[in-house]
Amino acid sequence: MSQPASPSRQPVRAATAAFIGTMIEWYDFYIYATAAALVFGELYFPSHDPFLSTMASFGTFAVGFFARPFGGLVFGHLGDRIGRKKALMTTLMMMGAATVCIGLLPDYASAGILAPVLLVLLRVVQGIAVGGEWGGAVLMAGEHAPQGRRTFFASFAQLGSPAGLILSLVAFRAVTSMDHAAFLSWGWRLPFLASAVLLIVGIVIRLGVNESPEFAQVQRAQRTAKLPIAEVLRSAFGLVLLGIGANTIGIAGVYFTNTFMIAYTTQYVGVTRSMILDCLFAVAIIQFLVQPMAAWLAERMGGARFLKCAALAAMISPYPMFVLVQRGEPAAMVIGIALAVVCMASFYSVIAGFVSGVFPARIRYSAISLAYQVCGALAGGLTPLAGAWLAHRFAGQWWPLAVFYTCLAGVSLVSIAALDARRQKHAEMAETAGAAN
């Protein structure tokens, strides 16, 4: 068994473990998203109408998002009561087991109605696992960070998302080059089965990280909350609502530019599956490079100011994106999607550290998990469905989709402004109270 590293090495070790762990979790989540766009409709929800099959497939994708708040509540409670590390080890094992089982699942032609039922149940397990994972990974990285570096270190948990996306795209790009019949028969299962290897790697790395020092301090002072979620709802409900709104474009934008865009470009623009996967792979690499630079820049600009600028840029970004995507040329599609993704990814990289700093350590896991996962259920789970409906309803017109994306970014901009105003007000009140004493 791995031994924890020395205290001086723990910040880097914790950030690395957060990155690797979330990369594995998001790889598992994204391969499901890619399979939902490419094969699940045909294999598990066969229909005479491809639109209905696609909507049913995206429906199971949404189910995972609606399970995420439950995972956030359960593991947020455990993380605030018994520790971040134990909660994270459990979520990682749950996600890996569910993903491997999906890779072994018979399709509708073999098992009938039992096949989609089991697929939905395994998707629920995935949703619960990733719902508990995110908050713990952000806190393990951020709470281990040196003084004044929370934003940058917490961003490593966010960096796992594009890394997981890159891995998932590589995996599916490899298997989509197979003969179509072989791909539908067994090729699509290989990315899911490969998760077993990643699971072992993730467990080994996380064993070497100490418990969060901030949580350990709360434990030593015997100040752990008996029922964290009740305290969150009683004392910080307004902040949670603003946290939900603040996360919107960081979550919805990922599934708009990746999951929905696969279905949109293959069905309405006429590009091949392999072409859009290649384009998204190039964009994912850009996202991976942009996120740490954005976190570094945010530390110098100030988190709130940076997030406002990123959200405003995200509101503008879908219009040039769709103009370029409609051309159906690889270079134009990469540039167009990258414009939107750079804005969204810059926001996503910084939002975790900003929101986690709003709540006290004793209820922080529960609070940020509730905010993020409720937002995930609404903004993430429904975005591909809403996009598919708008594309079908306004066939041949891209502007309703662009307006929809602008509205998502606008919700984040307003929420960040409100959070920043409340934070400044509380800081002024504390300063006034200190001067009076």
Side-chain angles (χ1 to χ4, degrees):
M1 181 179 295
S2 299
Q3 296 298 317
S6 65
S8 63
R9 296 174 55 195
Q10 280 294 299
V12 173
R13 187 70 179 259
T16 302
F19 165 63
I20 297 296
T22 53
M23 178 186 71
I24 295 168
E25 293 265 356
W26 286 114
Y27 166 81
D28 290 350
F29 215 69
Y30 284 138
I31 57 173
Y32 189 101
T34 307
L38 293 179
V39 297
F40 283 167
E42 183 175 351
L43 294 181
Y44 290 92
F45 305 96
S47 169
H48 66 282
D49 187 344
F51 170 69
L52 294 179
S53 294
T54 299
M55 290 295 285
S57 181
F58 279 153
T60 68
F61 179 68
V63 164
F65 281 91
F66 289 116
R68 283 169 59 171
F70 179 72
L73 289 174
V74 171
F75 288 100
H77 174 84
L78 294 175
D80 283 331
R81 288 288 297 163
I82 65 175
R84 287 45 164 144
K85 181 175 178 177
K86 293 177 182 177
L88 286 174
M89 294 297 291
T90 304
T91 59
L92 188 62
M93 289 186 283
M94 282 179 61
M95 177 62 90
T99 303
V100 172
C101 286
I102 291 174
L104 299 172
L105 195 65
D107 59 19
Y108 187 90
S110 301
I113 192 64
L114 182 62
V117 169
L118 290 176
L119 181 64
V120 170
L121 290 176
L122 290 170
R123 180 60 176 169
V124 168
V125 175
Q126 278 195 325
I128 292 172
V130 82
E133 164 74 20
W134 179 85
V138 167
L139 295 186
M140 283 293 278
E143 292 177 352
H144 272 286
Q147 183 69 27
R149 305 299 310 279
R150 181 189 296 272
T151 295
F152 183 73
F153 276 73
S155 74
F156 279 83
Q158 303 291 71
L159 194 59
S161 178
L165 177 59
I166 290 169
L167 280 182
S168 70
L169 290 172
V170 168
F172 262 95
R173 183 63 182 89
V175 295
T176 52
S177 63
M178 300 170 57
D179 173 74
H180 183 68
F183 171 68
L184 288 180
S185 176
W186 57 270
W188 69 269
R189 301 177 184 274
L190 297 180
F192 289 86
L193 299 178
S195 181
V197 177
L198 297 177
L199 173 63
I200 296 171
V201 173
I203 290 174
V204 170
I205 291 174
R206 281 195 167 163
L207 285 172
V209 182
N210 295 335
E211 181 55 81
S212 154
E214 290 190 39
F215 178 76
Q217 185 177 358
V218 170
Q219 275 191 317
R220 286 194 298 270
Q222 297 183 337
R223 294 180 56 247
T224 54
K226 291 183 178 180
L227 191 58
I229 190 60
E231 187 171 333
V232 168
L233 296 176
R234 182 176 64 252
S235 65
F237 184 66
L239 290 176
V240 169
L241 290 179
L242 290 176
I244 292 170
N247 277 292
T248 299
I249 191 59
I251 297 174
V254 171
Y255 296 99
F256 190 98
T257 56
N258 290 286
T259 305
F260 166 70
M261 196 58 72
I262 294 174
Y264 177 78
T265 53
T266 54
Q267 294 180 23
Y268 295 96
V269 181
V271 306
T272 63
R273 292 179 303 183
S274 59
M275 179 186 292
I276 184 59
L277 289 177
D278 285 345
C279 292
L280 291 178
F281 176 72
V283 173
I285 293 175
I286 294 171
Q287 180 182 351
F288 184 81
L289 296 174
V290 162
Q291 284 194 195
M293 291 190 290
W296 177 84
L297 182 59
E299 282 193 342
R300 282 144 184 83
M301 285 181 61
R305 181 183 177 191
F306 181 89
L307 287 168
K308 291 174 188 176
C309 293
L312 183 60
M315 293 179 68
I316 302 169
S317 66
Y319 303 94
M321 175 180 71
F322 274 106
V323 168
L324 291 167
V325 164
Q326 292 298 124
R327 296 177 63 176
E329 301 168 358
M333 292 174 68
V334 168
I335 294 170
I337 298 173
L339 288 173
V341 166
V342 165
C343 301
M344 174 274 296
S346 297
F347 184 94
Y348 181 73
S349 178
V350 177
I351 189 64
F354 179 79
V355 171
S356 65
V358 171
F359 301 99
R362 66 196 304 266
I363 59 170
R364 188 175 290 154
Y365 199 146
S366 296
I368 68 170
S369 294
L370 181 63
Y372 186 86
Q373 303 309 340
V374 169
C375 182
L378 298 175
L382 296 180
T383 291
L385 284 170
W389 182 84
L390 286 170
H392 182 72
R393 173 67 177 79
F394 299 95
Q397 302 180 66
W398 56 261
W399 66 264
L401 294 164
V403 170
F404 174 54
Y405 192 95
T406 295
C407 291
L408 294 172
V411 170
S412 288
L413 177 60
V414 171
S415 300
I416 289 294
L419 274 174
D420 187 39
R422 289 189 61 163
R423 190 177 62 169
Q424 290 182 13
K425 181 179 179 181
H426 289 162
E428 290 172 0
M429 291 173 61
E431 184 177 344
T432 301
N437 293 332

PDB file of all heavy atoms in Angstrom, residues 213-240:
ATOM      1  N   PRO A 213      -5.986  19.230   5.224  1.00  0.00           N
ATOM      2  CA  PRO A 213      -5.584  19.865   6.486  1.00  0.00           C
ATOM      3  C   PRO A 213      -6.681  20.731   7.094  1.00  0.00           C
ATOM      4  O   PRO A 213      -6.796  20.815   8.324  1.00  0.00           O
ATOM      5  CB  PRO A 213      -4.357  20.696   6.102  1.00  0.00           C
ATOM      6  CG  PRO A 213      -4.429  20.853   4.630  1.00  0.00           C
ATOM      7  CD  PRO A 213      -5.118  19.640   4.108  1.00  0.00           C
ATOM      8  N   GLU A 214      -7.489  21.379   6.273  1.00  0.00           N
ATOM      9  CA  GLU A 214      -8.571  22.199   6.811  1.00  0.00           C
ATOM     10  C   GLU A 214      -9.636  21.342   7.476  1.00  0.00           C
ATOM     11  O   GLU A 214     -10.167  21.684   8.540  1.00  0.00           O
ATOM     12  CB  GLU A 214      -9.191  23.069   5.717  1.00  0.00           C
ATOM     13  CG  GLU A 214      -8.279  24.183   5.233  1.00  0.00           C
ATOM     14  CD  GLU A 214      -9.002  25.164   4.338  1.00  0.00           C
ATOM     15  OE1 GLU A 214     -10.180  25.479   4.625  1.00  0.00           O
ATOM     16  OE2 GLU A 214      -8.400  25.614   3.349  1.00  0.00           O
ATOM     17  N   PHE A 215      -9.957  20.180   6.864  1.00  0.00           N
ATOM     18  CA  PHE A 215     -10.927  19.288   7.499  1.00  0.00           C
ATOM     19  C   PHE A 215     -10.339  18.666   8.764  1.00  0.00           C
ATOM     20  O   PHE A 215     -11.043  18.512   9.775  1.00  0.00           O
ATOM     21  CB  PHE A 215     -11.363  18.181   6.541  1.00  0.00           C
ATOM     22  CG  PHE A 215     -12.326  17.207   7.173  1.00  0.00           C
ATOM     23  CD1 PHE A 215     -13.654  17.550   7.358  1.00  0.00           C
ATOM     24  CD2 PHE A 215     -11.892  15.971   7.616  1.00  0.00           C
ATOM     25  CE1 PHE A 215     -14.543  16.671   7.964  1.00  0.00           C
ATOM     26  CE2 PHE A 215     -12.763  15.088   8.225  1.00  0.00           C
ATOM     27  CZ  PHE A 215     -14.098  15.437   8.399  1.00  0.00           C
ATOM     28  N   ALA A 216      -9.051  18.319   8.723  1.00  0.00           N
ATOM     29  CA  ALA A 216      -8.403  17.761   9.916  1.00  0.00           C
ATOM     30  C   ALA A 216      -8.451  18.750  11.071  1.00  0.00           C
ATOM     31  O   ALA A 216      -8.656  18.357  12.236  1.00  0.00           O
ATOM     32  CB  ALA A 216      -6.958  17.379   9.595  1.00  0.00           C
ATOM     33  N   GLN A 217      -8.301  20.028  10.771  1.00  0.00           N
ATOM     34  CA  GLN A 217      -8.384  21.053  11.813  1.00  0.00           C
ATOM     35  C   GLN A 217      -9.797  21.140  12.392  1.00  0.00           C
ATOM     36  O   GLN A 217      -9.978  21.282  13.600  1.00  0.00           O
ATOM     37  CB  GLN A 217      -7.973  22.405  11.220  1.00  0.00           C
ATOM     38  CG  GLN A 217      -7.911  23.535  12.234  1.00  0.00           C
ATOM     39  CD  GLN A 217      -7.431  24.844  11.608  1.00  0.00           C
ATOM     40  OE1 GLN A 217      -7.110  24.892  10.426  1.00  0.00           O
ATOM     41  NE2 GLN A 217      -7.394  25.888  12.397  1.00  0.00           N
ATOM     42  N   VAL A 218     -10.802  21.031  11.526  1.00  0.00           N
ATOM     43  CA  VAL A 218     -12.190  21.031  11.999  1.00  0.00           C
ATOM     44  C   VAL A 218     -12.443  19.833  12.906  1.00  0.00           C
ATOM     45  O   VAL A 218     -13.101  19.948  13.949  1.00  0.00           O
ATOM     46  CB  VAL A 218     -13.166  21.016  10.801  1.00  0.00           C
ATOM     47  CG1 VAL A 218     -14.599  20.758  11.251  1.00  0.00           C
ATOM     48  CG2 VAL A 218     -13.092  22.334  10.036  1.00  0.00           C
ATOM     49  N   GLN A 219     -11.909  18.669  12.517  1.00  0.00           N
ATOM     50  CA  GLN A 219     -12.070  17.471  13.343  1.00  0.00           C
ATOM     51  C   GLN A 219     -11.398  17.638  14.704  1.00  0.00           C
ATOM     52  O   GLN A 219     -11.976  17.273  15.739  1.00  0.00           O
ATOM     53  CB  GLN A 219     -11.487  16.253  12.627  1.00  0.00           C
ATOM     54  CG  GLN A 219     -12.428  15.586  11.647  1.00  0.00           C
ATOM     55  CD  GLN A 219     -11.890  14.246  11.173  1.00  0.00           C
ATOM     56  OE1 GLN A 219     -10.696  14.115  10.877  1.00  0.00           O
ATOM     57  NE2 GLN A 219     -12.754  13.256  11.104  1.00  0.00           N
ATOM     58  N   ARG A 220     -10.179  18.162  14.718  1.00  0.00           N
ATOM     59  CA  ARG A 220      -9.461  18.337  15.989  1.00  0.00           C
ATOM     60  C   ARG A 220     -10.211  19.283  16.923  1.00  0.00           C
ATOM     61  O   ARG A 220     -10.202  19.100  18.149  1.00  0.00           O
ATOM     62  CB  ARG A 220      -8.043  18.864  15.726  1.00  0.00           C
ATOM     63  CG  ARG A 220      -7.090  17.827  15.160  1.00  0.00           C
ATOM     64  CD  ARG A 220      -5.653  18.314  15.237  1.00  0.00           C
ATOM     65  NE  ARG A 220      -5.433  19.524  14.454  1.00  0.00           N
ATOM     66  CZ  ARG A 220      -5.076  19.540  13.179  1.00  0.00           C
ATOM     67  NH1 ARG A 220      -4.887  18.380  12.536  1.00  0.00           N
ATOM     68  NH2 ARG A 220      -4.886  20.685  12.537  1.00  0.00           N
ATOM     69  N   ALA A 221     -10.843  20.279  16.346  1.00  0.00           N
ATOM     70  CA  ALA A 221     -11.606  21.227  17.157  1.00  0.00           C
ATOM     71  C   ALA A 221     -12.998  20.714  17.493  1.00  0.00           C
ATOM     72  O   ALA A 221     -13.762  21.399  18.176  1.00  0.00           O
ATOM     73  CB  ALA A 221     -11.709  22.557  16.422  1.00  0.00           C
ATOM     74  N   GLN A 222     -13.318  19.497  16.990  1.00  0.00           N
ATOM     75  CA  GLN A 222     -14.628  18.873  17.215  1.00  0.00           C
ATOM     76  C   GLN A 222     -15.756  19.805  16.771  1.00  0.00           C
ATOM     77  O   GLN A 222     -16.760  19.980  17.463  1.00  0.00           O
ATOM     78  CB  GLN A 222     -14.791  18.495  18.699  1.00  0.00           C
ATOM     79  CG  GLN A 222     -13.784  17.453  19.156  1.00  0.00           C
ATOM     80  CD  GLN A 222     -14.000  17.022  20.601  1.00  0.00           C
ATOM     81  OE1 GLN A 222     -14.590  17.742  21.393  1.00  0.00           O
ATOM     82  NE2 GLN A 222     -13.535  15.824  20.931  1.00  0.00           N
ATOM     83  N   ARG A 223     -15.570  20.363  15.570  1.00  0.00           N
ATOM     84  CA  ARG A 223     -16.551  21.301  15.027  1.00  0.00           C
ATOM     85  C   ARG A 223     -17.241  20.760  13.775  1.00  0.00           C
ATOM     86  O   ARG A 223     -17.876  21.509  13.031  1.00  0.00           O
ATOM     87  CB  ARG A 223     -15.876  22.639  14.693  1.00  0.00           C
ATOM     88  CG  ARG A 223     -15.366  23.385  15.919  1.00  0.00           C
ATOM     89  CD  ARG A 223     -14.704  24.716  15.538  1.00  0.00           C
ATOM     90  NE  ARG A 223     -15.606  25.562  14.770  1.00  0.00           N
ATOM     91  CZ  ARG A 223     -15.444  25.900  13.504  1.00  0.00           C
ATOM     92  NH1 ARG A 223     -14.394  25.431  12.818  1.00  0.00           N
ATOM     93  NH2 ARG A 223     -16.292  26.697  12.880  1.00  0.00           N
ATOM     94  N   THR A 224     -17.135  19.447  13.527  1.00  0.00           N
ATOM     95  CA  THR A 224     -17.816  18.876  12.369  1.00  0.00           C
ATOM     96  C   THR A 224     -19.325  18.994  12.554  1.00  0.00           C
ATOM     97  O   THR A 224     -19.850  18.824  13.660  1.00  0.00           O
ATOM     98  CB  THR A 224     -17.442  17.397  12.176  1.00  0.00           C
ATOM     99  OG1 THR A 224     -17.688  16.694  13.389  1.00  0.00           O
ATOM    100  CG2 THR A 224     -15.986  17.245  11.786  1.00  0.00           C
ATOM    101  N   ALA A 225     -20.025  19.294  11.473  1.00  0.00           N
ATOM    102  CA  ALA A 225     -21.478  19.441  11.537  1.00  0.00           C
ATOM    103  C   ALA A 225     -22.144  18.075  11.670  1.00  0.00           C
ATOM    104  O   ALA A 225     -21.745  17.114  11.000  1.00  0.00           O
ATOM    105  CB  ALA A 225     -21.978  20.149  10.279  1.00  0.00           C
ATOM    106  N   LYS A 226     -23.153  17.985  12.534  1.00  0.00           N
ATOM    107  CA  LYS A 226     -23.855  16.709  12.708  1.00  0.00           C
ATOM    108  C   LYS A 226     -24.671  16.354  11.474  1.00  0.00           C
ATOM    109  O   LYS A 226     -24.733  15.198  11.069  1.00  0.00           O
ATOM    110  CB  LYS A 226     -24.768  16.787  13.934  1.00  0.00           C
ATOM    111  CG  LYS A 226     -24.016  16.860  15.257  1.00  0.00           C
ATOM    112  CD  LYS A 226     -24.978  16.850  16.433  1.00  0.00           C
ATOM    113  CE  LYS A 226     -24.201  16.863  17.755  1.00  0.00           C
ATOM    114  NZ  LYS A 226     -25.096  16.855  18.936  1.00  0.00           N
ATOM    115  N   LEU A 227     -25.313  17.338  10.880  1.00  0.00           N
ATOM    116  CA  LEU A 227     -26.076  17.125   9.642  1.00  0.00           C
ATOM    117  C   LEU A 227     -25.744  18.281   8.700  1.00  0.00           C
ATOM    118  O   LEU A 227     -26.448  19.293   8.659  1.00  0.00           O
ATOM    119  CB  LEU A 227     -27.578  17.075   9.935  1.00  0.00           C
ATOM    120  CG  LEU A 227     -28.471  16.592   8.788  1.00  0.00           C
ATOM    121  CD1 LEU A 227     -28.070  15.190   8.341  1.00  0.00           C
ATOM    122  CD2 LEU A 227     -29.937  16.619   9.210  1.00  0.00           C
ATOM    123  N   PRO A 228     -24.635  18.155   7.951  1.00  0.00           N
ATOM    124  CA  PRO A 228     -24.134  19.281   7.154  1.00  0.00           C
ATOM    125  C   PRO A 228     -25.156  19.885   6.203  1.00  0.00           C
ATOM    126  O   PRO A 228     -25.256  21.110   6.094  1.00  0.00           O
ATOM    127  CB  PRO A 228     -22.952  18.668   6.390  1.00  0.00           C
ATOM    128  CG  PRO A 228     -22.516  17.519   7.232  1.00  0.00           C
ATOM    129  CD  PRO A 228     -23.762  16.975   7.855  1.00  0.00           C
ATOM    130  N   ILE A 229     -25.924  19.033   5.512  1.00  0.00           N
ATOM    131  CA  ILE A 229     -26.844  19.577   4.515  1.00  0.00           C
ATOM    132  C   ILE A 229     -27.930  20.426   5.166  1.00  0.00           C
ATOM    133  O   ILE A 229     -28.355  21.440   4.609  1.00  0.00           O
ATOM    134  CB  ILE A 229     -27.462  18.441   3.665  1.00  0.00           C
ATOM    135  CG1 ILE A 229     -28.226  19.025   2.478  1.00  0.00           C
ATOM    136  CG2 ILE A 229     -28.365  17.549   4.514  1.00  0.00           C
ATOM    137  CD1 ILE A 229     -27.379  19.851   1.545  1.00  0.00           C
ATOM    138  N   ALA A 230     -28.357  20.046   6.383  1.00  0.00           N
ATOM    139  CA  ALA A 230     -29.362  20.855   7.089  1.00  0.00           C
ATOM    140  C   ALA A 230     -28.795  22.232   7.435  1.00  0.00           C
ATOM    141  O   ALA A 230     -29.483  23.255   7.310  1.00  0.00           O
ATOM    142  CB  ALA A 230     -29.818  20.136   8.354  1.00  0.00           C
ATOM    143  N   GLU A 231     -27.537  22.251   7.840  1.00  0.00           N
ATOM    144  CA  GLU A 231     -26.893  23.532   8.148  1.00  0.00           C
ATOM    145  C   GLU A 231     -26.709  24.370   6.891  1.00  0.00           C
ATOM    146  O   GLU A 231     -26.873  25.600   6.922  1.00  0.00           O
ATOM    147  CB  GLU A 231     -25.553  23.291   8.834  1.00  0.00           C
ATOM    148  CG  GLU A 231     -24.901  24.560   9.331  1.00  0.00           C
ATOM    149  CD  GLU A 231     -23.687  24.302  10.206  1.00  0.00           C
ATOM    150  OE1 GLU A 231     -23.621  23.241  10.850  1.00  0.00           O
ATOM    151  OE2 GLU A 231     -22.797  25.171  10.235  1.00  0.00           O
ATOM    152  N   VAL A 232     -26.407  23.715   5.778  1.00  0.00           N
ATOM    153  CA  VAL A 232     -26.272  24.440   4.512  1.00  0.00           C
ATOM    154  C   VAL A 232     -27.596  25.102   4.142  1.00  0.00           C
ATOM    155  O   VAL A 232     -27.649  26.288   3.797  1.00  0.00           O
ATOM    156  CB  VAL A 232     -25.827  23.477   3.385  1.00  0.00           C
ATOM    157  CG1 VAL A 232     -25.963  24.150   2.017  1.00  0.00           C
ATOM    158  CG2 VAL A 232     -24.389  23.041   3.595  1.00  0.00           C
ATOM    159  N   LEU A 233     -28.680  24.328   4.196  1.00  0.00           N
ATOM    160  CA  LEU A 233     -29.986  24.854   3.811  1.00  0.00           C
ATOM    161  C   LEU A 233     -30.462  25.944   4.776  1.00  0.00           C
ATOM    162  O   LEU A 233     -31.181  26.864   4.370  1.00  0.00           O
ATOM    163  CB  LEU A 233     -31.002  23.717   3.745  1.00  0.00           C
ATOM    164  CG  LEU A 233     -30.734  22.649   2.674  1.00  0.00           C
ATOM    165  CD1 LEU A 233     -31.752  21.537   2.762  1.00  0.00           C
ATOM    166  CD2 LEU A 233     -30.722  23.261   1.280  1.00  0.00           C
ATOM    167  N   ARG A 234     -30.063  25.852   6.032  1.00  0.00           N
ATOM    168  CA  ARG A 234     -30.508  26.822   7.026  1.00  0.00           C
ATOM    169  C   ARG A 234     -29.702  28.123   6.950  1.00  0.00           C
ATOM    170  O   ARG A 234     -30.267  29.217   7.046  1.00  0.00           O
ATOM    171  CB  ARG A 234     -30.381  26.220   8.428  1.00  0.00           C
ATOM    172  CG  ARG A 234     -30.874  27.148   9.555  1.00  0.00           C
ATOM    173  CD  ARG A 234     -30.820  26.482  10.904  1.00  0.00           C
ATOM    174  NE  ARG A 234     -29.448  26.149  11.300  1.00  0.00           N
ATOM    175  CZ  ARG A 234     -28.956  24.929  11.339  1.00  0.00           C
ATOM    176  NH1 ARG A 234     -29.718  23.889  10.993  1.00  0.00           N
ATOM    177  NH2 ARG A 234     -27.704  24.704  11.712  1.00  0.00           N
ATOM    178  N   SER A 235     -28.401  28.007   6.743  1.00  0.00           N
ATOM    179  CA  SER A 235     -27.548  29.189   6.861  1.00  0.00           C
ATOM    180  C   SER A 235     -26.981  29.714   5.547  1.00  0.00           C
ATOM    181  O   SER A 235     -26.468  30.834   5.508  1.00  0.00           O
ATOM    182  CB  SER A 235     -26.377  28.888   7.813  1.00  0.00           C
ATOM    183  OG  SER A 235     -25.528  27.876   7.263  1.00  0.00           O
ATOM    184  N   ALA A 236     -27.046  28.914   4.497  1.00  0.00           N
ATOM    185  CA  ALA A 236     -26.383  29.335   3.252  1.00  0.00           C
ATOM    186  C   ALA A 236     -27.201  29.020   2.003  1.00  0.00           C
ATOM    187  O   ALA A 236     -26.647  28.861   0.915  1.00  0.00           O
ATOM    188  CB  ALA A 236     -25.006  28.667   3.151  1.00  0.00           C
ATOM    189  N   PHE A 237     -28.517  28.951   2.133  1.00  0.00           N
ATOM    190  CA  PHE A 237     -29.355  28.552   1.000  1.00  0.00           C
ATOM    191  C   PHE A 237     -29.245  29.548  -0.159  1.00  0.00           C
ATOM    192  O   PHE A 237     -29.178  29.168  -1.329  1.00  0.00           O
ATOM    193  CB  PHE A 237     -30.812  28.414   1.436  1.00  0.00           C
ATOM    194  CG  PHE A 237     -31.726  27.924   0.348  1.00  0.00           C
ATOM    195  CD1 PHE A 237     -31.594  26.647  -0.169  1.00  0.00           C
ATOM    196  CD2 PHE A 237     -32.717  28.754  -0.174  1.00  0.00           C
ATOM    197  CE1 PHE A 237     -32.425  26.186  -1.172  1.00  0.00           C
ATOM    198  CE2 PHE A 237     -33.557  28.302  -1.185  1.00  0.00           C
ATOM    199  CZ  PHE A 237     -33.410  27.016  -1.683  1.00  0.00           C
ATOM    200  N   GLY A 238     -29.224  30.851   0.165  1.00  0.00           N
ATOM    201  CA  GLY A 238     -29.099  31.861  -0.885  1.00  0.00           C
ATOM    202  C   GLY A 238     -27.796  31.747  -1.650  1.00  0.00           C
ATOM    203  O   GLY A 238     -27.764  31.883  -2.877  1.00  0.00           O
ATOM    204  N   LEU A 239     -26.710  31.458  -0.926  1.00  0.00           N
ATOM    205  CA  LEU A 239     -25.413  31.277  -1.584  1.00  0.00           C
ATOM    206  C   LEU A 239     -25.413  30.045  -2.484  1.00  0.00           C
ATOM    207  O   LEU A 239     -24.806  30.044  -3.558  1.00  0.00           O
ATOM    208  CB  LEU A 239     -24.308  31.155  -0.531  1.00  0.00           C
ATOM    209  CG  LEU A 239     -23.964  32.419   0.251  1.00  0.00           C
ATOM    210  CD1 LEU A 239     -22.922  32.109   1.321  1.00  0.00           C
ATOM    211  CD2 LEU A 239     -23.461  33.514  -0.678  1.00  0.00           C
ATOM    212  N   VAL A 240     -26.103  28.987  -2.046  1.00  0.00           N
ATOM    213  CA  VAL A 240     -26.195  27.778  -2.867  1.00  0.00           C
ATOM    214  C   VAL A 240     -26.929  28.080  -4.170  1.00  0.00           C
ATOM    215  O   VAL A 240     -26.506  27.643  -5.258  1.00  0.00           O
ATOM    216  CB  VAL A 240     -26.898  26.644  -2.099  1.00  0.00           C
ATOM    217  CG1 VAL A 240     -27.243  25.479  -3.032  1.00  0.00           C
ATOM    218  CG2 VAL A 240     -26.018  26.143  -0.966  1.00  0.00           C
TER     219      VAL A 240
END
